[in-house]
Amino acid sequence: MNKIIVLNHKMNLTYNKLDEYIENINKVKTNNNIIICPSSLYLDPFKSKCKFSIGSQNVSNESSGAFTGEVSSLQLKSMGIEYSLVGHSERRNIFNETDELINEKVMKCLENDITPIICVGESLEEKEKDETLIKINNQISHAILGINETNIKELIIAYEPIWAIGSGITPTIEEIKKISDYIYSIIKEAYKLKPIVLYGGSVNKTNIKEILKIDTIDGVLIGTISSKIEEIKEIIEISN
Ligand code: PGA
């Protein structure tokens, strides 16, 4: 079955490298569904020149108005953007995004036909205290408050342990499976909806195949290396 590979460029890639990146990523042959989330500065060139789906890294909880520096789901929709990351741990921790704000962003996305990719995950301290499942359950139930089978087409949850992001360290395959099974069970119980569960955090060319083999994992979210064209081409090709 086709997998989803989300590329989160974060605040990387400068304008002089943009054409080269798009030209090269367009050459990648894959049956998997690639969703590229570039800096919002480059949403337009990616949308108009890149053959893959495009998502935003962030979205406002408001529709329009005096919110300097923000990007709304209505604006994304007007450009034909289909996805947005919501609640990435960098947004939660560096920009103090709360569960309530994340829920508002999710609802605003749904109002404007943007599929939110809801990111959840525990800190190292929480993992060590064996609080991973509680944390994830909490984050998911807050994020999806108000969602029902009629207002959502796809429910995408990305499990990204904070300690694995950018660290080169990943949970074991068994640990990832335990969490993705858990996410499946809580969503199916509440919504009779099949969730799409991604794993993110130090995914690379040596671990991607094994991670994608987990039966309750539908794809991966790749951060920092996704803006490095040669590395990401190789990873996408390995994932086929
Ligand atoms: P990483 O980041 O691949 O650099 O670990 C993942 C993410 O932040 O989504």
Side-chain angles (χ1 to χ4, degrees):
M1 220 182 72
N2 295 358
K3 299 285 185 175
I4 295 177
I5 301 181
V6 181
L7 309 185
N8 173 15
H9 283 182
K10 309 196 185 207
M11 200 173 65
N12 293 312
L13 207 64
T14 49
Y15 189 62
N16 58 330
K17 296 272 193 287
L18 197 61
D19 283 345
E20 186 192 338
Y21 184 96
I22 297 176
E23 211 174 283
N24 276 290
I25 202 89
N26 279 341
K27 288 183 190 151
V28 175
K29 292 195 174 48
T30 178
N31 291 325
N32 289 327
N33 301 326
I34 312 295
I35 303 170
I36 306 182
C37 302
S39 154
S40 49
L41 200 55
Y42 307 142
L43 282 169
D44 179 51
F46 268 96
K47 183 65 197 159
S48 49
K49 296 186 204 153
C50 180
K51 68 177 184 180
F52 296 120
S53 296
I54 306 301
S56 177
Q57 293 177 17
N58 184 28
V59 63
S60 171
N61 58 326
E62 302 286 348
S63 293
S64 63
F67 302 99
T68 303
E70 291 289 276
V71 173
S72 75
S73 49
L74 190 62
Q75 290 175 313
L76 295 176
K77 181 187 182 179
S78 71
M79 282 181 70
I81 305 292
E82 298 157 274
Y83 299 91
S84 180
L85 301 180
V86 178
H88 189 282
S89 64
E90 286 152 19
R91 299 292 321 170
R92 292 178 190 261
N93 296 336
I94 306 171
F95 300 97
N96 302 319
E97 292 196 3
T98 61
D99 283 325
E100 289 68 32
L101 181 75
I102 288 159
N103 176 243
E104 286 175 23
K105 291 184 174 201
V106 168
M107 298 312 286
K108 207 40 98 181
C109 280
L110 298 183
E111 233 176 72
N112 290 302
D113 300 321
I114 304 292
T115 301
I117 301 171
I118 302 169
C119 304
V120 298
E122 82 287 2
S123 66
L124 188 57
E125 199 189 338
E126 288 159 339
K127 178 183 162 61
E128 282 166 355
K129 285 201 237 151
D130 207 15
E131 290 174 356
T132 301
L133 298 186
I134 300 171
K135 173 76 178 286
I136 284 169
N137 194 334
N138 229 318
Q139 286 183 322
I140 293 178
S141 40
H142 272 100
I144 65 177
L145 209 69
I147 287 183
N148 56 52
E149 290 86 348
T150 58
N151 63 7
I152 193 147
K153 286 180 289 190
E154 288 178 305
L155 182 54
I156 309 183
I157 308 279
Y159 168 55
E160 299 206 289
I162 300 168
W163 51 272
I165 295 177
S167 65
I169 305 166
T170 56
T172 62
I173 295 296
E174 292 70 31
E175 283 172 323
I176 297 175
K177 180 170 163 50
K178 181 179 160 199
I179 308 298
S180 55
D181 285 357
Y182 179 68
I183 295 174
Y184 255 77
S185 71
I186 54 179
I187 300 292
K188 279 179 111 172
E189 194 178 301
Y191 294 102
K192 300 180 197 73
L193 200 83
K194 184 189 166 300
I196 294 170
V197 182
L198 314 180
Y199 168 77
S202 294
V203 174
N204 59 35
K205 65 179 180 186
T206 44
N207 60 25
I208 190 166
K209 266 237 161 317
E210 284 306 302
I211 294 171
L212 289 177
K213 274 189 206 151
I214 301 172
D215 57 349
T216 45
I217 283 290
D218 303 289
V220 290
L221 203 162
I222 306 177
T224 304
I225 45 175
S226 69
S227 60
K228 299 184 178 146
I229 189 61
E230 289 312 321
E231 290 179 53
I232 197 61
K233 269 171 70 181
E234 194 184 354
I235 294 177
I236 297 172
E237 272 151 18
I238 289 171
S239 75
N240 283 330

